[in-house]
């Protein structure tokens, strides 16, 4: 069996007018994107920018809630609960009646005390 009688599996078309130097230049050039891929690429960027900004705003809102609002509200209601519990204990233990003369002043003072140490 000779090599000439068997068909080769790999056949290369070689043009005589194409030089190897021009092939390497063409291979090194970046391919230009089509107009349809440019339009979809900018839409993807805009969506990702909007999504990134949305995630950042959610993160800022979460930080605001966890660092400012929740501690302040917890401290306010914690003091209110403590005052109420202490008043109930004093009424049970001793014959003392606790009367809040001005509820607005009582709530305002509780809010100011809660914010004082923040």
């Amino acid at each position: 069996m000779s090599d000439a009688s068997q068909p080769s599996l790999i056949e290369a078309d070689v043009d005589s007018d194409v030089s190897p130097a021009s092939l390497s230049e063409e291979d090194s050039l970046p391919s230009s994107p089509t107009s349809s891929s440019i339009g979809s690429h900018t839409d993807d960027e805009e969506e990702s920018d909007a999504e990134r900004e949305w995630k950042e705003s959610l993160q800022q809102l979460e930080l605001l809630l966890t660092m400012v609002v929740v501690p302040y509200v917890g401290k306010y209601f914690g003091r209110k609960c403590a005052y109420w519990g202490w008043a109930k204990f004093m009424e049970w233990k001793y014959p003392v009646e606790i009367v809040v003369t001005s509820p607005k002043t009582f709530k305002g003072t509780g809010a100011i005390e809660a914010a004082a140490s923040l």
Side-chain angles (χ1 to χ4, degrees), residues 5-117:
S5 65
Q6 292 182 355
S8 65
L9 297 175
I10 301 174
E11 294 181 21
D13 291 334
V14 178
D15 293 335
S16 61
D17 59 338
V18 177
S19 67
S22 66
L23 286 176
S24 65
E25 288 176 12
E26 289 176 5
D27 291 339
S28 67
L29 293 175
S31 62
S32 60
T34 61
S35 62
S36 64
S37 67
I38 291 174
S40 65
H41 183 64
T42 56
D43 290 341
D44 292 340
E45 285 180 1
E46 289 175 4
E47 288 177 13
S48 66
D49 289 344
E51 186 176 331
R52 186 176 61 246
E53 288 179 14
W54 174 252
K55 287 181 180 180
E56 287 177 5
S57 65
L58 284 178
Q59 185 180 17
Q60 290 173 354
L61 184 63
E62 181 184 359
L63 283 173
L64 177 71
L65 285 173
T66 58
M67 301 298 260
V68 178
V69 176
V70 171
Y72 178 75
V73 170
K75 193 172 185 182
Y76 175 75
F77 284 115
R79 287 181 185 236
K80 192 169 185 164
C81 180
Y83 290 143
W84 177 82
W86 184 252
K88 293 296 178 187
F89 174 75
M90 292 301 287
E91 288 175 1
W92 172 76
K93 181 78 173 168
Y94 303 106
V96 176
E97 185 175 337
I98 309 283
V99 177
V100 177
T101 56
S102 176
K104 287 183 180 180
T105 306
F106 182 72
K107 288 181 182 181
T109 305
I112 291 171
E113 286 180 5
S117 63

